[in-house]
PDB file of all heavy atoms in Angstrom:
ATOM      1  N   HIS V  51      -1.356 -20.918  11.787  1.00  0.00           N
ATOM      2  CA  HIS V  51      -1.475 -21.788  12.941  1.00  0.00           C
ATOM      3  C   HIS V  51      -0.812 -21.065  14.123  1.00  0.00           C
ATOM      4  O   HIS V  51       0.336 -20.930  14.082  1.00  0.00           O
ATOM      5  CB  HIS V  51      -0.702 -23.058  12.549  1.00  0.00           C
ATOM      6  CG  HIS V  51      -0.334 -23.875  13.836  1.00  0.00           C
ATOM      7  ND1 HIS V  51      -1.418 -24.631  14.429  1.00  0.00           N
ATOM      8  CD2 HIS V  51       0.606 -24.154  14.520  1.00  0.00           C
ATOM      9  CE1 HIS V  51      -0.921 -25.196  15.560  1.00  0.00           C
ATOM     10  NE2 HIS V  51       0.298 -24.992  15.556  1.00  0.00           N
ATOM     11  N   ALA V  52      -1.644 -20.528  15.041  1.00  0.00           N
ATOM     12  CA  ALA V  52      -1.170 -19.690  16.130  1.00  0.00           C
ATOM     13  C   ALA V  52      -0.538 -20.703  17.184  1.00  0.00           C
ATOM     14  O   ALA V  52      -1.209 -21.566  17.665  1.00  0.00           O
ATOM     15  CB  ALA V  52      -2.147 -18.876  16.730  1.00  0.00           C
ATOM     16  N   TRP V  53       0.723 -20.604  17.420  1.00  0.00           N
ATOM     17  CA  TRP V  53       1.438 -21.607  18.212  1.00  0.00           C
ATOM     18  C   TRP V  53       0.838 -21.584  19.613  1.00  0.00           C
ATOM     19  O   TRP V  53       1.023 -22.561  20.371  1.00  0.00           O
ATOM     20  CB  TRP V  53       2.960 -21.303  18.360  1.00  0.00           C
ATOM     21  CG  TRP V  53       3.181 -19.883  18.727  1.00  0.00           C
ATOM     22  CD1 TRP V  53       3.161 -18.740  17.976  1.00  0.00           C
ATOM     23  CD2 TRP V  53       3.385 -19.423  20.145  1.00  0.00           C
ATOM     24  NE1 TRP V  53       3.368 -17.643  18.739  1.00  0.00           N
ATOM     25  CE2 TRP V  53       3.473 -18.063  20.012  1.00  0.00           C
ATOM     26  CE3 TRP V  53       3.515 -20.078  21.326  1.00  0.00           C
ATOM     27  CZ2 TRP V  53       3.757 -17.316  21.258  1.00  0.00           C
ATOM     28  CZ3 TRP V  53       3.767 -19.360  22.530  1.00  0.00           C
ATOM     29  CH2 TRP V  53       3.848 -17.944  22.405  1.00  0.00           C
ATOM     30  N   HIS V  54       0.292 -20.482  20.109  1.00  0.00           N
ATOM     31  CA  HIS V  54      -0.152 -20.446  21.560  1.00  0.00           C
ATOM     32  C   HIS V  54      -1.612 -20.782  21.716  1.00  0.00           C
ATOM     33  O   HIS V  54      -2.123 -20.554  22.900  1.00  0.00           O
ATOM     34  CB  HIS V  54       0.312 -19.057  22.097  1.00  0.00           C
ATOM     35  CG  HIS V  54      -0.308 -17.974  21.376  1.00  0.00           C
ATOM     36  ND1 HIS V  54      -0.013 -17.588  20.132  1.00  0.00           N
ATOM     37  CD2 HIS V  54      -1.351 -17.105  21.813  1.00  0.00           C
ATOM     38  CE1 HIS V  54      -0.749 -16.476  19.740  1.00  0.00           C
ATOM     39  NE2 HIS V  54      -1.542 -16.182  20.777  1.00  0.00           N
ATOM     40  N   LYS V  55      -2.356 -21.124  20.701  1.00  0.00           N
ATOM     41  CA  LYS V  55      -3.742 -21.371  20.927  1.00  0.00           C
ATOM     42  C   LYS V  55      -3.824 -22.915  20.731  1.00  0.00           C
ATOM     43  O   LYS V  55      -3.528 -23.516  19.711  1.00  0.00           O
ATOM     44  CB  LYS V  55      -4.669 -20.779  19.797  1.00  0.00           C
ATOM     45  CG  LYS V  55      -4.655 -19.224  19.985  1.00  0.00           C
ATOM     46  CD  LYS V  55      -5.981 -18.666  20.262  1.00  0.00           C
ATOM     47  CE  LYS V  55      -5.875 -17.145  20.592  1.00  0.00           C
ATOM     48  NZ  LYS V  55      -7.114 -16.546  20.902  1.00  0.00           N
ATOM     49  N   SER V  56      -4.386 -23.548  21.725  1.00  0.00           N
ATOM     50  CA  SER V  56      -4.548 -25.021  21.716  1.00  0.00           C
ATOM     51  C   SER V  56      -5.660 -25.485  20.937  1.00  0.00           C
ATOM     52  O   SER V  56      -5.664 -26.543  20.305  1.00  0.00           O
ATOM     53  CB  SER V  56      -4.555 -25.574  23.196  1.00  0.00           C
ATOM     54  OG  SER V  56      -5.546 -24.899  23.877  1.00  0.00           O
ATOM     55  N   ARG V  57      -6.709 -24.674  20.846  1.00  0.00           N
ATOM     56  CA  ARG V  57      -7.997 -25.101  20.102  1.00  0.00           C
ATOM     57  C   ARG V  57      -7.657 -25.016  18.599  1.00  0.00           C
ATOM     58  O   ARG V  57      -7.048 -24.081  18.141  1.00  0.00           O
ATOM     59  CB  ARG V  57      -9.001 -24.024  20.391  1.00  0.00           C
ATOM     60  CG  ARG V  57     -10.429 -24.230  19.978  1.00  0.00           C
ATOM     61  CD  ARG V  57     -11.305 -23.029  20.396  1.00  0.00           C
ATOM     62  NE  ARG V  57     -10.696 -21.763  19.848  1.00  0.00           N
ATOM     63  CZ  ARG V  57     -11.059 -21.238  18.580  1.00  0.00           C
ATOM     64  NH1 ARG V  57     -11.832 -21.922  17.863  1.00  0.00           N
ATOM     65  NH2 ARG V  57     -10.609 -20.121  18.240  1.00  0.00           N
ATOM     66  N   PRO V  58      -8.189 -25.935  17.848  1.00  0.00           N
ATOM     67  CA  PRO V  58      -8.129 -25.862  16.332  1.00  0.00           C
ATOM     68  C   PRO V  58      -8.856 -24.608  15.974  1.00  0.00           C
ATOM     69  O   PRO V  58     -10.079 -24.463  16.328  1.00  0.00           O
ATOM     70  CB  PRO V  58      -8.658 -27.136  15.843  1.00  0.00           C
ATOM     71  CG  PRO V  58      -9.255 -27.873  16.965  1.00  0.00           C
ATOM     72  CD  PRO V  58      -8.980 -27.217  18.165  1.00  0.00           C
ATOM     73  N   LEU V  59      -8.375 -23.833  15.062  1.00  0.00           N
ATOM     74  CA  LEU V  59      -9.033 -22.587  14.627  1.00  0.00           C
ATOM     75  C   LEU V  59      -9.893 -22.951  13.481  1.00  0.00           C
ATOM     76  O   LEU V  59      -9.776 -23.945  12.765  1.00  0.00           O
ATOM     77  CB  LEU V  59      -8.023 -21.622  14.169  1.00  0.00           C
ATOM     78  CG  LEU V  59      -7.070 -21.092  15.330  1.00  0.00           C
ATOM     79  CD1 LEU V  59      -6.078 -20.098  14.671  1.00  0.00           C
ATOM     80  CD2 LEU V  59      -7.819 -20.395  16.372  1.00  0.00           C
ATOM     81  N   THR V  60     -10.944 -22.076  13.233  1.00  0.00           N
ATOM     82  CA  THR V  60     -11.839 -22.204  12.073  1.00  0.00           C
ATOM     83  C   THR V  60     -10.902 -21.920  10.812  1.00  0.00           C
ATOM     84  O   THR V  60      -9.963 -21.210  10.924  1.00  0.00           O
ATOM     85  CB  THR V  60     -12.905 -21.087  12.173  1.00  0.00           C
ATOM     86  OG1 THR V  60     -13.683 -21.292  13.284  1.00  0.00           O
ATOM     87  CG2 THR V  60     -13.830 -21.063  10.904  1.00  0.00           C
ATOM     88  N   ALA V  61     -11.234 -22.562   9.686  1.00  0.00           N
ATOM     89  CA  ALA V  61     -10.470 -22.444   8.470  1.00  0.00           C
ATOM     90  C   ALA V  61     -10.051 -21.016   8.131  1.00  0.00           C
ATOM     91  O   ALA V  61     -10.903 -20.134   8.263  1.00  0.00           O
ATOM     92  CB  ALA V  61     -11.162 -23.080   7.313  1.00  0.00           C
ATOM     93  N   ALA V  62      -8.854 -20.857   7.757  1.00  0.00           N
ATOM     94  CA  ALA V  62      -8.295 -19.564   7.559  1.00  0.00           C
ATOM     95  C   ALA V  62      -9.143 -18.645   6.474  1.00  0.00           C
ATOM     96  O   ALA V  62      -9.272 -17.493   6.717  1.00  0.00           O
ATOM     97  CB  ALA V  62      -6.910 -19.555   7.076  1.00  0.00           C
ATOM     98  N   ALA V  63      -9.595 -19.441   5.450  1.00  0.00           N
ATOM     99  CA  ALA V  63     -10.451 -18.737   4.503  1.00  0.00           C
ATOM    100  C   ALA V  63     -11.672 -18.090   5.084  1.00  0.00           C
ATOM    101  O   ALA V  63     -12.105 -16.929   4.829  1.00  0.00           O
ATOM    102  CB  ALA V  63     -10.850 -19.613   3.430  1.00  0.00           C
TER     103      ALA V  63
END
Side-chain angles (χ1 to χ4, degrees):
H51 169 70
W53 56 274
H54 59 292
K55 295 244 172 182
S56 46
R57 181 183 64 85
L59 299 176
T60 302

